[in-house]
Amino acid sequence: MRAWLLVVGLMTAIALSAEPVRAGVPSAAFSYVDPCMVLCPNGDLPFTVIVRDLANNNLNGVSVVLDFSASPGTFICPAVPGDPYLVNPLAMTLRMFTGADGRVTFPARVGGTGPDVKVFANGVLIAVRALASPDQDGNGIVDPGIDGALFAAKLGHFDPTADYDCSVTNNDAADQAIQTAHRNHACSGIVVPTRTTTWGTLKLHYR
């Protein structure tokens, strides 16, 4: 009888000691990450993450990181006062902290495309997304000519780097409408169209 009580006591102790480890740990299964990552240098295509733990509880104060380091075609606009996220240009990351509802929304001023953007919550990988942007060439400006042509080459077949409406079907007129709506958007806002020869002076690359 005593041996049985000892076993039960040990099992209870193990269960109780394991609970704090589980509590508060971000869960990829229960967290929400926008199914498509579509960003604009103007920051007007937000990206939302809601971090939850293994018990499906929203987690407050969690560090959420968008890691673009495996997508070298990414252009991250230089940080300016008022950005609600932290920019690490060397690591190619953006960071925000969740509120009481477990939510962060990045108004990320980012252009370019890439296949492999990682989303971390307190260091736990919770999602991987392809990056799509109307700034298809990743120079920080949505040019109707160059970016429009790069996008047009992806029409009629599925390419996640131009699937702006997250339809996961062939890129079509709906995606074209979004491309057009963001023409001349840039890190500095909406720019007055300039000649191609002047764009080089406007580029701000970290790499």
Side-chain angles (χ1 to χ4, degrees):
M1 184 67 175
R2 289 182 178 178
W4 181 82
L5 290 174
L6 180 61
V7 170
V8 171
L10 286 173
M11 291 178 65
T12 302
I14 292 171
L16 290 174
S17 65
E19 190 62 28
V21 176
R22 295 182 58 197
V25 176
S27 165
F30 289 104
S31 296
Y32 169 84
V33 180
D34 274 347
C36 293
M37 178 179 283
V38 183
L39 306 177
C40 176
N42 192 35
D44 53 354
L45 290 170
F47 183 78
T48 295
V49 178
I50 303 174
V51 183
R52 301 186 179 102
D53 65 12
L54 293 167
N56 204 25
N57 298 311
N58 295 331
L59 295 181
N60 185 24
V62 171
S63 167
V64 178
V65 172
L66 308 184
D67 182 352
F68 299 92
S69 61
S71 292
T74 301
F75 182 93
I76 300 177
C77 296
V80 297
D83 281 344
Y85 49 80
L86 303 174
V87 180
N88 185 329
L90 296 179
M92 294 188 67
T93 62
L94 305 181
R95 184 188 303 270
M96 289 185 73
F97 294 87
T98 62
D101 59 356
R103 179 187 299 264
V104 290
T105 296
F106 289 84
R109 298 185 303 112
V110 171
T113 62
D116 191 17
V117 180
K118 295 179 175 64
V119 182
F120 292 97
N122 279 355
V124 177
L125 179 65
I126 60 173
V128 178
R129 296 288 184 264
L131 169 63
S133 175
D135 174 24
Q136 287 277 297
D137 66 351
N139 72 345
I141 302 172
V142 183
D143 166 48
I146 297 174
D147 292 312
L150 290 171
F151 169 79
K154 299 175 182 180
L155 281 170
H157 63 277
F158 176 67
D159 186 323
T161 64
D163 181 22
Y164 304 143
D165 63 354
C166 204
S167 63
V168 198
T169 59
N170 287 347
N171 304 126
D172 57 17
D175 300 299
Q176 177 71 74
I178 296 171
Q179 178 73 33
T180 301
H182 290 268
R183 63 173 57 185
N184 298 318
H185 286 197
C187 294
S188 58
I190 301 175
V191 300
V192 176
T194 58
R195 292 182 302 170
T196 305
T197 53
T198 67
W199 292 341
T201 61
L202 299 176
K203 294 182 180 180
L204 295 171
H205 283 278
Y206 290 116
R207 55 185 187 279

